Amino acid sequence: MFNNKELFKTAFKEQLVSRLGKNMDEATPADIYKILGTLIREVIGREWAETNQAYKTQGEKQVYYFSMEFLIGRLLGNNLLNLGMLTTVRDGLRDLGWNLEEIEEQEPDAGLGNGGLGRLAACFMDSLASLGYAGHGCGIRYKYGLFEQKIIDGHQVELPDDWLQKGNVWEERRADKRIEVRFWGRVEISEEDGRTVFHTVDYERVWAVPYDVPIIGYGDLHVNTLRLWSAESAMDPAKMRMEGQRSYHQFLDYNRSVESISEFLYPDDSGYEGKLLRLKQQYFLCSAGLQSVLRTFEKLGLSYHELPHKVAVHINDTHPTLVIPELMRILIDEKGFGWDEAWDVTTRTVSYTNHTLLSEALEKWPVPMVRELLPRVYMIIEEINKRFCGMLLERFPQRQDLVSRMAMIEGDQVKMAHLAIIGSYSVNGVAQLHTELLKNDVMKPFYELYPERFNNKTNGITHRRWLMHANPKLSQLISDSIGTDWIRHPHQLLRLESFKDDPSFQERIMEIKRGNKLRLAAYIQQKQGIAVDPASIFDVQVKRLHGYKRQLMNILHVMHLYNEIKDQPSADRVPRTFIFGAKAAPGYYLAKSIIKLINVVADVVNHDPQINGKLKVLFLENYSVSLAEKIIPAANVSEQISTAGKEASGTGNMKFMMNGALTIGTLDGANVEMHEMLGDDNMFLFGLRSEEVTNYYKFGGYLAREVYNADARIKRVMDQLVSPGPFCCHEQEFGMIYQSILDHNDEFFVLRDFADYAKTQVAVEQAFLNSQSWASKSIANIAHAGYFSSDCTINRYAADIWQIRPVRPLLEV
Ligand SMILES: *Cc1c(COP(=O)(O)O)cnc(C)c1O
């Protein structure tokens, strides 16, 4: 280990010469990055093996977190932090003439996820390892991550994210651990020894090859594994060559279809994507992941009846739901289990997290597609459904309605959420409000049938990446003030409460925020050539672009502020900088049009001399984990303004809170819990409550056009979307936005909440003017953010759902 700077420098220089044949003065930043990564891999290699060995010999229960997405971001800085090598390496590199932050920029940002769901999985990996749990990730090694976003003439343009182009220093290909996955074919049924047996024949084989990424825990060298699967051809080219030209073409077609399985991440944030390829990806993950889990389990030499005591399989949303019928298939067809005992084992092994209430995001697959691609798995799904519906009718003979509401197969569709609930022992929502809505609204009949399965696990974020790594100065100030216990026990941040009204502490908090704002301002200057006022309020909304997240309300409000300034150019105002970052799904035209609108407004506002620095608007392209780490520590105001009842939890809200930004938000997702802790003094709430939204949906009573006609400010900004003026327009550019509000009656209540939002924004400005009181609120936010550390979340999953305890200390085993 390099806890000594000189040792590190010596080892580093040796590596540079022996691996690259270069001296320090010939090396490029990319070389430095690569050597650093390789060094760390070597340092942790032994501990990685020892962690695995300890798990094996101790026979600890293992958790496998199955997720189609892991939005990891960069690893270098976080790995150094968790290894306790950050300072040594930073100082050592500085002696050698390099800046660690610049070297970190060399690393591609691993974008194997769309947004919150994938980032949650990544935070969970960090917490599992840091707390010493035997918990691993299981995902897909997409060749292309989430698209890279460029803004060209104000429009989003998508470019492929070729993140593996220069190799990946963290991964380890394990060809010897490859797994066969089967698609298509047909099922032959026969009798063997008085037992019905099922054989799938004429199937297509694909190799799943694992690439393992070490997940390094904080402090005591606990190294878990994130296993990412890549699809490879299982056809023998030599054999094909002998079979002549026609089969050669088949060979090429087959290869192309295999490669496409792990080629790219679907860029849909929440909508249902009805593609065969997506179903293939899901089964590929489930089958490869599960077979590999069982292979490890078999080394324990136990009966499969013991599986639930040794293995927990958790599914992150419904995307990996096929683990349920796949486990049934393996137990019945390969291990000789009867149906009931297989069902018993399966439903005591699998647990499920629900991530959304949006009906368009509840996954459904066409029956013929599932039946053809996965014939045996489909038979099992059908049988689960048949037995489930039979049970319902037996228990509730008069309730045919229940059967049609709860069946897994309805009409021509397989409903994955129903399968996930029926086939698992735990169903959790991701924030209190979300879980209540699940139980009492969206999944109500399931809650009534299985009340004991439903539970809440409010999301969290790792404070190591989002505070210690992203905001080292704040982290240092906290440690200087309350000691370092908070790092292992983040709820200890509460001790900062006693510094809330300490003027010198307030001054230091403000100083750190100022420094972070200056850094972001320099980044903006360098990227866009726009000077922003570091004394202005940095008001930030960064997240995926979606109707329910209401970036539209934010930008309409900015247009309104612009109008006010134009009406009274000499009036005194609190200078404000509005910062946006958001990717839109490539096929989501309304969202793309909102991106264009933000950019048009930015262009107008930033170049109007009459605005004179009172207002600036920025759209920062390619929002990603590494960009989030630059933006969030610099925010004064966090925009969490979704339509109440729509955002399951949010995790961006927590990152801002932890970095001392004040939230303007609705009572939605985890904002509700933030508000419970912070009270009205430390948070700016506005807007409809979720029951009010529900009532409007159920009973009507909202007319966007009435609001438009009644509020002159609203009418003015809406009209500015479609009539000649500062923001308009080339050929009805924003007509779609206008229509979505006025012709389709504003599905997300943008106009309904506008007045309250505008009023609350005035209160934000007034509060900002009193910088001491603002600092005190900011400290209160940081102090309460420990509750949202994913360490706390993971401890709750471990105790309530997985029934596991930390494996520690490893080295005594
Ligand atoms: C945290 C995070 C998200 C989720 O943000 P929300 O505001 O909760 O939607 C999305 N993308 C990235 C890159 C993140 O870091």
Side-chain angles (χ1 to χ4, degrees), residues 71 114-116 119 466 542-544 549 623-625 628 640 647 649-653 655:
L71 188 48
N114 273 292
R119 185 54 232 174
W466 295 107
V542 287
K543 46 183 76 246
R544 284 298 289 258
K549 291 179 185 276
Y623 182 58
S624 55
V625 173
Q640 306 301 336
E647 186 76 88
S649 163
T651 48
N653 46 3
K655 299 168 197 167

Side-chain angles (χ1 to χ4, degrees), residues 102-290:
E102 271 167 43
I103 301 304
E104 287 184 62
E105 295 287 324
Q106 294 298 314
E107 180 170 358
D109 187 296
L112 309 184
N114 273 292
L117 173 146
R119 185 54 232 174
L120 184 77
C123 284
F124 280 6
M125 291 298 105
D126 184 66
S127 287
L128 281 165
S130 295
L131 295 166
Y133 289 113
H136 312 280
C138 187
I140 294 181
R141 179 182 179 268
Y142 300 105
K143 184 163 176 223
Y144 298 99
L146 183 61
F147 65 85
E148 184 187 336
Q149 178 193 54
K150 287 257 179 247
I151 300 299
I152 298 178
D153 290 336
H155 292 284
Q156 165 173 303
V157 174
E158 301 102 29
L159 301 176
D161 166 40
D162 197 1
W163 71 294
L164 291 168
Q165 198 178 34
K166 293 181 182 161
N168 177 0
V169 291
W170 308 114
E171 69 185 12
E172 202 66 57
R173 179 185 159 93
R174 307 239 192 248
D176 56 318
K177 299 211 157 128
R178 69 185 186 180
I179 298 264
E180 184 179 301
V181 176
R182 300 173 175 183
F183 296 103
W184 312 106
R186 58 201 162 74
V187 180
E188 284 183 347
I189 304 174
S190 56
E191 295 284 322
E192 276 174 28
D193 306 328
R195 189 170 181 275
T196 311
V197 294
F198 303 87
H199 286 289
T200 307
V201 296
D202 296 340
Y203 52 82
E204 183 178 287
R205 297 162 64 220
V206 171
W207 286 125
V209 179
Y211 286 71
D212 287 353
V213 179
I215 303 293
I216 303 169
Y218 180 83
D220 61 0
L221 285 185
H222 192 105
V223 185
N224 286 341
T225 302
L226 169 59
R227 177 160 281 185
L228 300 175
W229 297 94
S230 178
E232 290 185 14
S233 165
M235 214 176 255
D236 179 1
K239 192 171 148 234
M240 296 309 303
R241 208 172 295 132
M242 288 161 49
E243 290 176 10
Q245 200 59 32
R246 209 170 80 190
S247 59
Y248 180 65
H249 281 292
Q250 279 174 0
F251 169 72
L252 292 184
D253 286 348
Y254 163 79
N255 266 9
R256 205 166 299 129
S257 93
V258 170
E259 275 163 20
S260 70
I261 295 174
S262 53
E263 190 153 53
F264 73 96
L265 167 78
Y266 270 82
D268 273 80
D269 186 42
S270 56
Y272 158 71
E273 184 53 68
K275 292 277 170 17
L276 174 65
L277 181 55
R278 170 80 177 174
L279 182 62
K280 253 187 161 171
Q281 290 185 329
Q282 294 187 352
Y283 182 68
F284 175 75
L285 167 68
C286 293
S287 181
L290 203 54

